[in-house]
Amino acid sequence: MNPILAQAEVAYRKNLMELLFEAHQVHRAHHDPTDIQRCTLLSIKTGGCPEDCSYCPQSAHYDTGLEKQSLLPLEEIRVAAKNAKNSGAQRFCMGAAWRNVKDGPDFDRVLDMIRIIKEEILEACVTLGMVNLEQARRLKEAGLDAYNHNLDTSRDYYEKIIHTRTYDDRLNTLKSVRQAGLTICSGGIIGMGESASDRCAMLAELAQLDPQPESVPINLLIPIEGTPLEDQAPLDPLEWVRTVAVARILMPRSRVRLSAGRCTLSREAQVLAFFAGANSIFLGDKLLTRSNPGIDEDESLLSTIRGTPSEAPLYQ
Ligand code: SAM
Ligand code: DTB
Ligand code: SF4
């Protein structure tokens, strides 16, 4: 077995206390454990996507009742960026439900959006589907910092989830992004019925990218009515914590981001995930189309972690 995959498998199956301890040690050796990156998400073009990703509310293949929205005007980006800055975000991420980027006025507008984000002194990230090298270079010239494109799952499980593009298409996009000098944000979704070995294989694929992705979003499936995964049984939150811990061990320098799915996770599970090495979250009450814990809830979570005394006495 490939040594990185073997390392992932061994770590994933450790006694949970051993795994948490090891992951936390790796985390401390490479990061300030009090530093949690705050990102904000905005869907700039919503729904009607030609891809058939089985988890996605935005795929045109499924009737999910989602209201479509064409590419947003630039003024809305300026307002959203200012709001994000005021609420303490460091990174602004924009997502479009496209299969791939097409040259033309829409792409030109996205380049202008990136310039606006940079004028507001935020890190800029976009996720626009597949890109070629020339397009990645234009994104870089516009000031883009990072490109998000997820591997989503293991190579083996992938064919059960997406049929309209291949695993290698995804890797080729990541290659263009890297060649253009952008940083890579790439992770996946868990809780789609995959095995623990699939989770390990996905993390091993990510860890073998050279250099490793600077950001690794770990999404927990939000089951969407109308999609093939609507009735998927929820994953045990401790399997989610294990996945975060193994991501930290395999990719010591990356930002591991708690992405979709936090609304169904307890505060305690999230605290364990931070201990296991997560150091980034999406702030705000909406992801692209689904709910995220609101800013108040997250501020309370972060202040609990900081140790700010709670208003009510805990012990009486
Ligand atoms: N169309 C682009 C693409 O697929 O690269 C960008 C947008 S897409 C919505 C970004 C990511 O959101 C997906 O790769 C997937 O990991 C995540 N995602 C989408 N639907 C989700 C769901 N129901 N639950 C959890 N994560 C989801
Ligand atoms: C990522 O890995 N997760 C974010 C971001 N990258 C673009 C998106 C999560 C989307 C969750 C479902 C929704 O809101 O539609
Ligand atoms: Fe389209 Fe991205 Fe959703 Fe797949 S995940 S259907 S590519 S928006």
Side-chain angles (χ1 to χ4, degrees):
M1 190 190 281
N2 152 324
I4 298 184
L5 178 55
Q7 187 192 1
E9 289 274 0
V10 168
Y12 195 99
R13 289 175 169 79
K14 274 191 176 185
N15 173 296
L16 183 58
M17 300 305 133
E18 296 290 332
L19 172 59
L20 289 174
F21 183 60
E22 182 184 341
H24 192 65
Q25 277 182 314
V26 172
H27 188 48
R28 277 186 177 254
H30 296 88
H31 302 271
D32 168 0
T34 65
D35 169 31
I36 296 176
Q37 179 191 45
R38 294 144 174 265
C39 309
T40 300
L41 257 181
L42 179 69
S43 182
I44 55 171
K45 185 268 169 184
T46 308
C49 181
E51 299 276 340
D52 73 350
C53 310
S54 298
Y55 48 77
C56 189
Q58 305 201 62
S59 167
H61 294 256
Y62 318 121
D63 182 8
T64 65
L66 184 74
E67 202 176 310
K68 286 191 232 163
Q69 165 78 60
S70 51
L71 193 64
L72 293 180
L74 293 177
E75 308 80 67
E76 286 195 36
I77 306 302
R78 174 86 62 193
V79 173
K82 283 190 191 297
N83 287 341
K85 186 83 190 173
N86 290 338
S87 58
Q90 293 142 343
R91 172 173 284 201
F92 195 88
C93 313
M94 299 185 285
W98 286 336
R99 171 176 155 77
N100 60 295
V101 169
K102 296 190 184 77
D103 296 314
D106 279 0
F107 185 40
D108 294 343
R109 199 191 303 172
V110 172
L111 297 173
D112 283 338
M113 291 178 181
I114 293 166
R115 293 185 188 103
I116 290 176
I117 303 304
K118 296 312 293 177
E119 279 166 23
E120 300 300 328
I121 325 289
L122 284 158
E123 282 180 23
C125 177
V126 292
T127 180
L128 312 170
M130 294 186 276
V131 278
N132 62 34
L133 179 57
E134 185 49 37
Q135 292 163 337
R137 287 201 169 120
R138 290 184 68 199
L139 290 164
K140 173 77 183 166
E141 272 166 27
L144 189 71
D145 296 289
Y147 195 86
N148 167 247
H149 197 64
N150 293 335
L151 291 185
D152 274 345
T153 189
S154 69
R155 189 180 273 278
D156 287 349
Y157 202 66
Y158 187 88
E159 62 186 38
K160 299 208 167 52
I161 301 295
I162 298 149
H163 315 95
T164 47
R165 70 176 159 203
T166 66
Y167 213 64
D168 287 322
D169 288 336
R170 296 209 176 221
L171 288 166
N172 282 336
T173 288
L174 293 179
K175 209 175 186 178
S176 302
V177 166
R178 186 55 90 192
Q179 246 178 303
L182 294 162
T183 68
I184 289 182
C185 171
S186 188
I189 316 186
I190 64 170
M192 300 192 294
E194 76 288 339
S195 64
S197 293
D198 286 311
R199 279 169 228 138
C200 291
M202 173 186 82
L203 294 175
E205 287 272 359
L206 292 166
Q208 284 168 95
L209 295 173
D210 185 15
Q212 293 185 335
E214 284 76 6
S215 304
V216 180
I218 304 291
N219 297 278
L220 177 64
L221 177 73
I222 304 175
I224 310 288
E225 229 183 287
T227 65
L229 294 177
E230 66 179 342
D231 292 324
Q232 186 60 50
L235 187 72
D236 176 346
L238 292 177
E239 297 293 311
W240 173 77
V241 171
R242 280 184 186 271
T243 307
V244 169
V246 176
R248 169 50 67 227
I249 293 167
L250 258 49
M251 294 170 275
R253 292 186 172 75
S254 308
R255 283 261 178 207
V256 176
R257 181 169 309 119
L258 305 182
S259 301
R262 288 195 300 117
C263 279
T264 54
L265 290 161
S266 68
R267 260 167 26 121
E268 292 80 359
Q270 295 181 58
V271 168
L272 269 186
F274 287 124
F275 185 79
N279 57 357
S280 177
I281 54 169
F282 285 119
L283 273 190
D285 51 18
K286 202 161 162 215
L287 292 159
L288 291 174
T289 70
R290 303 291 131 166
S291 301
N292 194 41
I295 184 101
D296 292 350
E297 205 172 307
D298 278 338
E299 284 305 340
S300 151
L301 174 69
L302 295 177
S303 90
T304 303
I305 292 173
R306 280 195 299 269
T308 315
S310 69
E311 277 166 31
L314 281 177
Y315 304 104
Q316 288 179 339

